[in-house]
Amino acid sequence: MTLNEAIDHLKESLADPGHFSCAECAEQHVQLLQWLEELKDSRQTINTLCETVRSMRGEIDKLTDILTE
């Protein structure tokens, strides 16, 4: 199961009021959903930052080459 599939599954489960046997279970699954969505957002942010750093590293290498010629 992927992270997106887990998020979708939890959303579907939470949309069905009779899916959970008690309110505490439902509340715990709401918290789990929030954590998974936070994880997904964090991963996206990290990937964006890594792409930016790689791009900047390439530009720095180009400038270094120019300056050392």
Side-chain angles (χ1 to χ4, degrees):
M1 176 181 287
T2 67
L3 181 58
N4 285 332
E5 289 170 341
I7 290 170
D8 290 343
H9 175 71
L10 281 169
K11 286 180 179 180
E12 289 172 11
S13 297
L14 289 166
D16 177 8
H19 184 82
F20 299 101
S21 58
C22 67
E24 184 179 356
C25 289
E27 289 173 15
Q28 290 172 351
H29 281 76
V30 167
Q31 179 65 62
L32 178 59
L33 175 60
Q34 290 170 346
W35 286 335
L36 291 178
E37 288 176 331
E38 182 180 336
L39 173 62
K40 181 180 175 182
D41 290 344
S42 295
R43 285 182 175 178
Q44 289 173 341
T45 299
I46 289 168
N47 287 336
T48 300
L49 289 171
C50 287
E51 289 174 19
T52 302
V53 168
R54 279 191 288 273
S55 174
M56 291 173 69
R57 177 180 264 162
E59 294 301 313
I60 290 169
D61 289 345
K62 288 178 191 175
L63 289 173
T64 301
D65 290 344
I66 291 169
L67 294 173
T68 57
E69 290 180 354

